[in-house]
Amino acid sequence: KAGVTQTPRYLIKTRGQQVTLSCSPISGHRSVSWYQQTPGQGLQFLFEYFSETQRNKGNFPGRFSGRQFSNSRSEMNVSTLELGDSALYLCASSLESGAPLGDEQFFGPGTRLTVL
Amino acid sequence: AQSVAQPEDQVNVAEGNPLTVKCTYSVSGNPYLFWYVQYPNRGLQFLLKYITGDNLVKGSYGFEAEFNKSQTSFHLKKPSALVSDSALYFCAVRDRVRAAGNKLTFGGGTRVLVKP
């Protein structure tokens, strides 16, 4: 079974631009979560989508948004990029959301975004 | 608010010696507990999780973790470290409440360096 895939793997943008990142979950997984990883702030939860609905949202400005399609693939968008948005963006998939057995999440390799 | 602490930024250990990576948490209720490992330019890989039951949890690659409810700790251990265990390790918690979804709160990470 293929793992979580993220495209593109690397991206360079300039301040003020917008960017869209894509995540394809493991086949059969319906939950996709996004995380931002930076040296200063560590790993921070952005949002989770389940069955095309945003389930949870982290403490990020409205410039960060996302969506999920009927095939469970997810995209996240960052508008009006700032230098501080430079980070590794990780997505993770899981079978369900909030499952009582604490299903683990499987992470993709990430998209490294550099904002100049 | 949930918080996870990994008190050591880096742990150095000789190959063949025991490895311990510490994690304590401060959350309401009884969360699910996870350990993930990250190799350079890779996403996070799941190692193990604690849901309920036996306080000693066995996971992948010979790792295990000990849950201590009174000390709110979940330390990761490996009896005999390998050079290939050198990586960045993250402890994470997830709320058991289903409405909280799959949001993970991560510790700051501990870099493990195993020397030959």
Side-chain angles (χ1 to χ4, degrees), chain A residues 55-56 97-99, chain B residues 28 30-32 94-102:
Chain A
R55 190 75 196 271
N56 280 295
S97 178
Chain B
S28 58
N30 297 313
Y32 299 119
R94 204 200 93 188
D95 199 314
R96 285 183 186 261
V97 175
R98 191 169 186 119
N102 287 344

Side-chain angles (χ1 to χ4, degrees), chain B residues 30-69:
Chain B
N30 297 313
Y32 299 119
L33 302 164
F34 300 84
W35 275 101
Y36 283 87
V37 61
Q38 186 177 35
Y39 296 97
N41 300 315
R42 302 278 294 275
L44 275 67
Q45 294 180 30
F46 168 78
L47 283 177
L48 49 80
K49 65 181 177 183
Y50 175 79
I51 301 174
T52 188
D54 195 349
N55 289 343
L56 187 64
V57 179
K58 293 191 183 296
S60 307
Y61 314 117
F63 283 94
E64 56 190 27
E66 187 169 11
F67 169 65
N68 188 316
K69 185 174 182 178

Side-chain angles (χ1 to χ4, degrees), chain A residues 30-69:
Chain A
R30 295 193 295 158
S31 167
V32 174
S33 299
W34 289 88
Y35 295 85
Q36 181 195 64
Q37 185 177 18
T38 60
Q41 299 298 318
L43 277 158
Q44 293 187 289
F45 172 79
L46 280 157
F47 28 63
E48 178 193 3
Y49 286 87
F50 177 72
S51 294
E52 302 180 64
T53 301
Q54 188 178 86
R55 190 75 196 271
N56 280 295
K57 191 177 192 308
N59 189 25
F60 280 82
R63 300 185 297 107
F64 292 82
S65 62
R67 59 177 175 169
Q68 187 180 35
F69 301 95

Side-chain angles (χ1 to χ4, degrees), chain B residues 6-12 21 87-89 108-113:
Chain B
Q6 294 181 240
E8 299 157 316
D9 290 337
Q10 182 159 322
V11 170
N12 298 316
V21 185
L88 188 56
Y89 291 79
T110 298
R111 188 165 301 280
V112 170
L113 181 59

